[in-house]
mmCIF file of all heavy atoms in Angstrom:
data_model
loop_
_atom_site.group_PDB
_atom_site.id
_atom_site.type_symbol
_atom_site.label_atom_id
_atom_site.label_comp_id
_atom_site.label_asym_id
_atom_site.label_seq_id
_atom_site.Cartn_x
_atom_site.Cartn_y
_atom_site.Cartn_z
ATOM 1 N N GLY G 1 0.822 -1.206 0.000
ATOM 2 C CA GLY G 1 0.000 0.000 0.000
ATOM 3 C C GLY G 1 0.852 1.250 0.000
ATOM 4 O O GLY G 1 2.016 1.252 0.413
ATOM 5 N N THR G 2 0.286 2.323 -0.468
ATOM 6 C CA THR G 2 1.033 3.557 -0.650
ATOM 7 C C THR G 2 1.493 4.168 0.667
ATOM 8 O O THR G 2 2.569 4.762 0.744
ATOM 9 C CB THR G 2 0.188 4.583 -1.432
ATOM 10 O OG1 THR G 2 -0.660 3.898 -2.354
ATOM 11 C CG2 THR G 2 1.066 5.522 -2.211
ATOM 12 N N ASP G 3 0.687 4.048 1.718
ATOM 13 C CA ASP G 3 1.078 4.613 3.011
ATOM 14 C C ASP G 3 2.352 3.955 3.531
ATOM 15 O O ASP G 3 3.282 4.646 3.983
ATOM 16 C CB ASP G 3 -0.054 4.444 4.028
ATOM 17 C CG ASP G 3 -1.230 5.372 3.740
ATOM 18 O OD1 ASP G 3 -1.151 6.550 4.117
ATOM 19 O OD2 ASP G 3 -2.216 4.915 3.131
ATOM 20 N N ASP G 4 2.388 2.610 3.481
ATOM 21 C CA ASP G 4 3.573 1.896 3.971
ATOM 22 C C ASP G 4 4.784 2.153 3.089
ATOM 23 O O ASP G 4 5.910 2.286 3.577
ATOM 24 C CB ASP G 4 3.292 0.392 4.061
ATOM 25 C CG ASP G 4 2.531 0.019 5.328
ATOM 26 O OD1 ASP G 4 2.738 0.689 6.356
ATOM 27 O OD2 ASP G 4 1.748 -0.938 5.291
ATOM 28 N N LEU G 5 4.580 2.218 1.771
ATOM 29 C CA LEU G 5 5.699 2.498 0.868
ATOM 30 C C LEU G 5 6.278 3.876 1.153
ATOM 31 O O LEU G 5 7.502 4.050 1.187
ATOM 32 C CB LEU G 5 5.246 2.410 -0.590
ATOM 33 C CG LEU G 5 6.303 2.758 -1.639
ATOM 34 C CD1 LEU G 5 7.504 1.827 -1.546
ATOM 35 C CD2 LEU G 5 5.705 2.719 -3.044
ATOM 36 N N ASP G 6 5.417 4.851 1.370
ATOM 37 C CA ASP G 6 5.877 6.197 1.671
ATOM 38 C C ASP G 6 6.699 6.211 2.964
ATOM 39 O O ASP G 6 7.731 6.879 3.049
ATOM 40 C CB ASP G 6 4.682 7.143 1.790
ATOM 41 C CG ASP G 6 5.096 8.600 1.841
ATOM 42 O OD1 ASP G 6 5.541 9.120 0.803
ATOM 43 O OD2 ASP G 6 4.986 9.214 2.928
ATOM 44 N N ALA G 7 6.243 5.447 3.956
ATOM 45 C CA ALA G 7 6.965 5.376 5.227
ATOM 46 C C ALA G 7 8.338 4.718 5.044
ATOM 47 O O ALA G 7 9.334 5.169 5.622
ATOM 48 C CB ALA G 7 6.140 4.610 6.248
ATOM 49 N N ILE G 8 8.400 3.643 4.250
ATOM 50 C CA ILE G 8 9.687 2.969 3.994
ATOM 51 C C ILE G 8 10.670 3.923 3.340
ATOM 52 O O ILE G 8 11.827 4.041 3.749
ATOM 53 C CB ILE G 8 9.477 1.731 3.100
ATOM 54 C CG1 ILE G 8 8.706 0.640 3.847
ATOM 55 C CG2 ILE G 8 10.820 1.179 2.627
ATOM 56 C CD1 ILE G 8 8.292 -0.526 2.971
ATOM 57 N N LEU G 9 10.207 4.654 2.318
ATOM 58 C CA LEU G 9 11.094 5.565 1.598
ATOM 59 C C LEU G 9 11.530 6.735 2.478
ATOM 60 O O LEU G 9 12.591 7.325 2.257
ATOM 61 C CB LEU G 9 10.407 6.076 0.330
ATOM 62 C CG LEU G 9 10.216 5.036 -0.776
ATOM 63 C CD1 LEU G 9 9.408 5.611 -1.938
ATOM 64 C CD2 LEU G 9 11.548 4.530 -1.281
ATOM 65 N N GLY G 10 10.721 7.056 3.496
ATOM 66 C CA GLY G 10 11.116 8.093 4.432
ATOM 67 C C GLY G 10 12.221 7.635 5.355
ATOM 68 O O GLY G 10 13.050 8.442 5.806
ATOM 69 N N ASP G 11 12.279 6.327 5.614
ATOM 70 C CA ASP G 11 13.292 5.783 6.528
ATOM 71 C C ASP G 11 14.558 5.325 5.810
ATOM 72 O O ASP G 11 15.672 5.515 6.314
ATOM 73 C CB ASP G 11 12.704 4.603 7.315
ATOM 74 C CG ASP G 11 11.625 5.039 8.300
ATOM 75 O OD1 ASP G 11 11.603 6.234 8.667
ATOM 76 O OD2 ASP G 11 10.808 4.190 8.696
ATOM 77 N N VAL G 12 14.407 4.689 4.653
ATOM 78 C CA VAL G 12 15.552 4.059 3.990
ATOM 79 C C VAL G 12 16.319 5.037 3.099
ATOM 80 O O VAL G 12 17.546 5.076 3.126
ATOM 81 C CB VAL G 12 15.110 2.828 3.175
ATOM 82 C CG1 VAL G 12 16.294 2.227 2.435
ATOM 83 C CG2 VAL G 12 14.464 1.791 4.087
ATOM 84 N N LYS G 13 15.614 5.805 2.291
ATOM 85 C CA LYS G 13 16.234 6.754 1.359
ATOM 86 C C LYS G 13 17.355 6.095 0.544
ATOM 87 O O LYS G 13 18.551 6.336 0.786
ATOM 88 C CB LYS G 13 16.758 7.973 2.117
ATOM 89 C CG LYS G 13 15.666 8.741 2.855
ATOM 90 C CD LYS G 13 16.172 10.016 3.449
ATOM 91 C CE LYS G 13 15.091 10.727 4.267
ATOM 92 N NZ LYS G 13 13.873 11.023 3.515
ATOM 93 N N PRO G 14 17.009 5.256 -0.408
ATOM 94 C CA PRO G 14 18.012 4.492 -1.160
ATOM 95 C C PRO G 14 18.955 5.381 -1.958
ATOM 96 O O PRO G 14 18.594 6.474 -2.398
ATOM 97 C CB PRO G 14 17.156 3.627 -2.088
ATOM 98 C CG PRO G 14 15.870 4.378 -2.234
ATOM 99 C CD PRO G 14 15.640 5.025 -0.910
ATOM 100 N N SER G 15 20.171 4.885 -2.149
ATOM 101 C CA SER G 15 21.166 5.618 -2.931
ATOM 102 C C SER G 15 20.968 5.423 -4.426
ATOM 103 O O SER G 15 21.439 6.235 -5.226
ATOM 104 C CB SER G 15 22.578 5.171 -2.532
ATOM 105 O OG SER G 15 22.742 3.770 -2.742
ATOM 106 N N PHE G 16 20.297 4.337 -4.828
ATOM 107 C CA PHE G 16 20.048 4.136 -6.256
ATOM 108 C C PHE G 16 18.899 5.029 -6.718
ATOM 109 O O PHE G 16 18.052 5.459 -5.926
ATOM 110 C CB PHE G 16 19.750 2.667 -6.569
ATOM 111 C CG PHE G 16 18.634 2.038 -5.769
ATOM 112 C CD1 PHE G 16 17.297 2.344 -5.997
ATOM 113 C CD2 PHE G 16 18.921 1.096 -4.773
ATOM 114 C CE1 PHE G 16 16.268 1.744 -5.280
ATOM 115 C CE2 PHE G 16 17.910 0.492 -4.039
ATOM 116 C CZ PHE G 16 16.580 0.824 -4.298
ATOM 117 N N ALA G 17 18.879 5.305 -8.021
ATOM 118 C CA ALA G 17 17.755 6.040 -8.613
ATOM 119 C C ALA G 17 16.568 5.088 -8.677
ATOM 120 O O ALA G 17 16.654 4.015 -9.277
ATOM 121 C CB ALA G 17 18.126 6.532 -10.005
ATOM 122 N N PHE G 18 15.469 5.474 -8.051
ATOM 123 C CA PHE G 18 14.271 4.633 -7.975
ATOM 124 C C PHE G 18 13.256 5.188 -8.964
ATOM 125 O O PHE G 18 12.832 6.350 -8.858
ATOM 126 C CB PHE G 18 13.724 4.664 -6.553
ATOM 127 C CG PHE G 18 12.792 3.525 -6.205
ATOM 128 C CD1 PHE G 18 12.867 2.299 -6.837
ATOM 129 C CD2 PHE G 18 11.843 3.686 -5.197
ATOM 130 C CE1 PHE G 18 12.024 1.260 -6.510
ATOM 131 C CE2 PHE G 18 10.989 2.650 -4.844
ATOM 132 C CZ PHE G 18 11.082 1.433 -5.500
ATOM 133 N N LEU G 19 12.861 4.361 -9.949
ATOM 134 C CA LEU G 19 12.075 4.856 -11.076
ATOM 135 C C LEU G 19 10.663 4.262 -11.129
ATOM 136 O O LEU G 19 10.440 3.114 -10.760
ATOM 137 C CB LEU G 19 12.790 4.546 -12.393
ATOM 138 C CG LEU G 19 14.239 5.014 -12.549
ATOM 139 C CD1 LEU G 19 14.724 4.708 -13.960
ATOM 140 C CD2 LEU G 19 14.386 6.483 -12.224
ATOM 141 N N GLY G 20 9.753 5.076 -11.647
ATOM 142 C CA GLY G 20 8.376 4.656 -11.895
ATOM 143 C C GLY G 20 7.663 5.784 -12.613
ATOM 144 O O GLY G 20 6.863 6.512 -12.012
ATOM 145 N N ALA G 21 7.932 5.935 -13.898
ATOM 146 C CA ALA G 21 7.439 7.093 -14.647
ATOM 147 C C ALA G 21 5.927 7.156 -14.726
ATOM 148 O O ALA G 21 5.342 8.244 -14.782
ATOM 149 C CB ALA G 21 8.035 7.085 -16.062
ATOM 150 N N ASN G 22 5.269 6.003 -14.743
ATOM 151 C CA ASN G 22 3.822 5.990 -14.934
ATOM 152 C C ASN G 22 3.046 5.778 -13.647
ATOM 153 O O ASN G 22 1.820 5.633 -13.672
ATOM 154 C CB ASN G 22 3.423 4.946 -15.976
ATOM 155 C CG ASN G 22 3.932 3.555 -15.677
ATOM 156 O OD1 ASN G 22 4.977 3.385 -15.045
ATOM 157 N ND2 ASN G 22 3.207 2.549 -16.130
ATOM 158 N N LEU G 23 3.715 5.764 -12.496
ATOM 159 C CA LEU G 23 3.032 5.632 -11.212
ATOM 160 C C LEU G 23 2.845 7.022 -10.610
ATOM 161 O O LEU G 23 3.783 7.804 -10.540
ATOM 162 C CB LEU G 23 3.845 4.740 -10.270
ATOM 163 C CG LEU G 23 3.191 4.307 -8.957
ATOM 164 C CD1 LEU G 23 3.761 2.959 -8.499
ATOM 165 C CD2 LEU G 23 3.373 5.338 -7.843
ATOM 166 N N PHE G 24 1.622 7.311 -10.152
ATOM 167 C CA PHE G 24 1.366 8.618 -9.552
ATOM 168 C C PHE G 24 0.564 8.450 -8.263
ATOM 169 O O PHE G 24 -0.200 7.498 -8.096
ATOM 170 C CB PHE G 24 0.613 9.542 -10.527
ATOM 171 C CG PHE G 24 -0.765 9.051 -10.905
ATOM 172 C CD1 PHE G 24 -1.898 9.478 -10.220
ATOM 173 C CD2 PHE G 24 -0.939 8.145 -11.962
ATOM 174 C CE1 PHE G 24 -3.169 9.033 -10.571
ATOM 175 C CE2 PHE G 24 -2.202 7.691 -12.312
ATOM 176 C CZ PHE G 24 -3.321 8.126 -11.615
ATOM 177 N N THR G 25 0.777 9.360 -7.317
ATOM 178 C CA THR G 25 0.099 9.319 -6.025
ATOM 179 C C THR G 25 -0.292 10.725 -5.601
ATOM 180 O O THR G 25 0.116 11.716 -6.212
ATOM 181 C CB THR G 25 1.006 8.722 -4.931
ATOM 182 O OG1 THR G 25 2.182 9.534 -4.808
ATOM 183 C CG2 THR G 25 1.420 7.301 -5.261
ATOM 184 N N ALA G 26 -1.061 10.786 -4.513
ATOM 185 C CA ALA G 26 -1.486 12.074 -3.973
ATOM 186 C C ALA G 26 -0.290 12.841 -3.413
ATOM 187 O O ALA G 26 0.734 12.254 -3.050
ATOM 188 C CB ALA G 26 -2.529 11.857 -2.873
ATOM 189 N N ASP G 27 -0.429 14.148 -3.324
ATOM 190 C CA ASP G 27 0.659 15.005 -2.875
ATOM 191 C C ASP G 27 1.111 14.697 -1.457
ATOM 192 O O ASP G 27 2.268 14.966 -1.098
ATOM 193 C CB ASP G 27 0.237 16.480 -2.956
ATOM 194 C CG ASP G 27 0.081 16.966 -4.389
ATOM 195 O OD1 ASP G 27 0.649 16.315 -5.291
ATOM 196 O OD2 ASP G 27 -0.607 17.978 -4.602
ATOM 197 N N ARG G 28 0.216 14.112 -0.646
ATOM 198 C CA ARG G 28 0.587 13.896 0.750
ATOM 199 C C ARG G 28 1.679 12.828 0.907
ATOM 200 O O ARG G 28 2.318 12.747 1.954
ATOM 201 C CB ARG G 28 -0.644 13.522 1.582
ATOM 202 C CG ARG G 28 -1.220 12.137 1.334
ATOM 203 C CD ARG G 28 -2.431 11.916 2.242
ATOM 204 N NE ARG G 28 -3.009 10.583 2.094
ATOM 205 C CZ ARG G 28 -2.622 9.538 2.811
ATOM 206 N NH1 ARG G 28 -1.637 9.646 3.690
ATOM 207 N NH2 ARG G 28 -3.210 8.361 2.644
ATOM 208 N N PHE G 29 1.893 12.022 -0.107
ATOM 209 C CA PHE G 29 2.960 11.007 -0.041
ATOM 210 C C PHE G 29 4.275 11.661 -0.472
ATOM 211 O O PHE G 29 4.787 11.435 -1.572
ATOM 212 C CB PHE G 29 2.613 9.816 -0.928
ATOM 213 C CG PHE G 29 1.341 9.116 -0.524
ATOM 214 C CD1 PHE G 29 0.231 9.130 -1.358
ATOM 215 C CD2 PHE G 29 1.242 8.461 0.689
ATOM 216 C CE1 PHE G 29 -0.943 8.492 -0.992
ATOM 217 C CE2 PHE G 29 0.067 7.814 1.066
ATOM 218 C CZ PHE G 29 -1.027 7.832 0.228
ATOM 219 N N GLN G 30 4.839 12.464 0.419
ATOM 220 C CA GLN G 30 5.987 13.295 0.070
ATOM 221 C C GLN G 30 7.226 12.481 -0.274
ATOM 222 O O GLN G 30 7.986 12.833 -1.182
ATOM 223 C CB GLN G 30 6.300 14.242 1.225
ATOM 224 C CG GLN G 30 5.219 15.274 1.469
ATOM 225 C CD GLN G 30 5.574 16.254 2.577
ATOM 226 O OE1 GLN G 30 6.682 16.227 3.115
ATOM 227 N NE2 GLN G 30 4.645 17.121 2.919
ATOM 228 N N ASN G 31 7.452 11.385 0.448
ATOM 229 C CA ASN G 31 8.650 10.583 0.201
ATOM 230 C C ASN G 31 8.607 9.908 -1.168
ATOM 231 O O ASN G 31 9.633 9.803 -1.852
ATOM 232 C CB ASN G 31 8.822 9.537 1.301
ATOM 233 C CG ASN G 31 9.032 10.171 2.661
ATOM 234 O OD1 ASN G 31 9.859 11.058 2.821
ATOM 235 N ND2 ASN G 31 8.260 9.736 3.644
ATOM 236 N N ILE G 32 7.426 9.446 -1.560
ATOM 237 C CA ILE G 32 7.285 8.849 -2.891
ATOM 238 C C ILE G 32 7.545 9.909 -3.959
ATOM 239 O O ILE G 32 8.261 9.666 -4.940
ATOM 240 C CB ILE G 32 5.884 8.225 -3.072
ATOM 241 C CG1 ILE G 32 5.709 7.039 -2.121
ATOM 242 C CG2 ILE G 32 5.674 7.779 -4.516
ATOM 243 C CD1 ILE G 32 4.333 6.402 -2.161
#
């Protein structure tokens, strides 16, 4: 789910470029 993914990206912050050109979410998911 988007909430958990946003939380993971807030904690991990990967060094690789993380891509998803066609995926979109609401503005509140700041980390995504």
Side-chain angles (χ1 to χ4, degrees):
T2 328
D3 288 279
D4 279 328
L5 177 60
D6 191 71
I8 292 172
L9 290 175
D11 292 339
V12 177
K13 299 187 184 303
S15 59
F16 54 73
F18 199 27
L19 306 184
N22 55 331
L23 189 152
F24 63 94
T25 60
D27 291 340
R28 71 180 182 89
F29 299 114
Q30 294 183 5
N31 297 311
I32 294 177

